[in-house]
């Protein structure tokens, strides 16, 4: 697995060419560049020095930033119907895919919703693993794939559902869809 740094504009351009949930950044670039593995390795490029976003191959690919309400709903429904989602055996993995998808639908609304979500004694989301560890040593924080967010994962499934519900309703998703998503976790 290799990591490359790209600026935000290029990252969003690559992500906007996603054709299906679960398509890797590598697959997108291969399709766009008409490059196959049999052709060899392209010449490495030097990353820019500022404004970087990290793209890691072999992880859940970001979805298009869907701005229209019907596109946002369709994107979530596509996730629920995707092979990648169906293959997840653990609730925590489904939880992480949902969070990643919601972030990529609208990073600003997701950020606002996540920052307003806290428990009595815990912070659920942070931009840094250490912040979550300071609020509980057994929180098992994980980075939400392809996002700058970390989330605690040692909560039970009901708590994970309530976290997703809070975020989806804050992002103004329909109640019916929110309940359906929570029912799949």
């Amino acid at each position: 697995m290799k990591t490359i740094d790209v600026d935000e504009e290029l990252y969003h351009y690559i992500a906007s060419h996603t054709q299906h949930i679960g398509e890797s950044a590598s697959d997108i670039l291969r399709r766009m560049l008409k490059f196959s593995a049999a052709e060899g390795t392209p010449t490495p490029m030097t990353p820019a020095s500022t404004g970087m976003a990290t793209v890691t191959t072999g992880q859940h690919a970001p979805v298009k930033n869907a701005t229209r309400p019907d596109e946002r709903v369709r994107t979530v429904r596509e996730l629920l119907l995707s092979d990648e989602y169906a293959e997840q055996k653990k609730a925590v993995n489904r939880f992480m895919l949902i969070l990643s998808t919601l972030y990529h639908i609208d990073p600003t609304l997701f950020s606002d919703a996540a920052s307003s979500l806290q428990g009595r004694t815990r912070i659920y989301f942070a931009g840094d693993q250490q912040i979550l560890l300071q609020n509980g040593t057994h929180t098992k924080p994980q980075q939400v794939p392809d996002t700058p967010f970390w989330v605690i994962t040692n909560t039970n499934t009901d708590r994970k559902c309530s976290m997703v519900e809070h975020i989806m309703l804050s992002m103004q998703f329909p109640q019916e869809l929110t309940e359906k998503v929570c029912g799949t976790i």
Side-chain angles (χ1 to χ4, degrees):
M1 177 172 63
K2 301 282 185 183
T3 300
I4 61 171
D5 290 325
V6 296
D7 61 57
E8 285 293 319
E9 183 180 26
L10 182 57
Y11 174 81
H12 289 292
Y13 178 79
I14 294 167
S16 73
H17 285 79
T18 302
Q19 290 184 345
H20 57 84
I21 300 291
E23 184 176 27
S24 71
S26 182
D27 291 340
I28 296 166
L29 288 171
R30 284 184 183 283
R31 186 182 65 252
M32 291 172 64
L33 298 171
K34 296 177 175 58
F35 181 81
S36 69
E39 294 176 17
T41 306
T43 306
M45 296 174 57
T46 305
S49 59
T50 60
M52 292 293 140
T54 301
V55 177
T56 305
T57 59
Q59 291 185 352
H60 168 70
V63 297
K64 292 181 182 180
N65 187 350
T67 54
R68 292 190 350 217
D70 57 327
E71 289 176 0
R72 297 168 66 220
V73 168
R74 186 180 73 241
T75 300
V76 171
R77 286 186 176 147
E78 286 174 354
L79 171 67
L80 297 180
L81 296 172
S82 72
D83 290 341
E84 181 182 19
Y85 192 76
E87 292 168 357
Q88 302 306 315
K89 303 298 181 213
K90 295 182 178 180
V92 69
N93 294 338
R94 291 187 296 273
F95 174 64
M96 298 300 273
L97 277 175
I98 290 166
L99 293 177
S100 180
T101 300
L102 293 173
Y103 174 84
H104 288 288
I105 287 172
D106 191 321
T108 302
L109 287 178
F110 180 92
S111 298
D112 292 345
S115 65
S116 70
L117 182 60
Q118 294 184 9
R120 258 184 314 117
T121 59
R122 287 186 172 171
I123 296 173
Y124 295 135
F125 289 90
D128 185 308
Q129 179 183 20
Q130 292 306 314
I131 292 171
L132 296 176
L133 289 172
Q134 289 171 359
N135 288 283
T137 56
H138 303 289
T139 58
K140 296 184 183 177
Q142 289 185 30
Q143 187 166 17
V144 178
D146 302 313
T147 77
F149 283 93
W150 287 76
V151 63
I152 63 170
T153 61
N154 74 331
T155 58
N156 62 31
T157 302
D158 287 340
R159 174 64 64 201
K160 287 177 179 71
C161 289
S162 70
M163 292 164 67
V164 168
E165 179 180 33
H166 172 85
I167 290 172
M168 288 187 72
L169 293 177
S170 295
M171 292 177 71
Q172 300 183 349
F173 278 94
Q175 179 71 38
E176 176 185 305
L177 179 61
T178 302
E179 290 171 5
K180 185 172 188 159
V181 168
C182 290
T184 67
I185 296 176

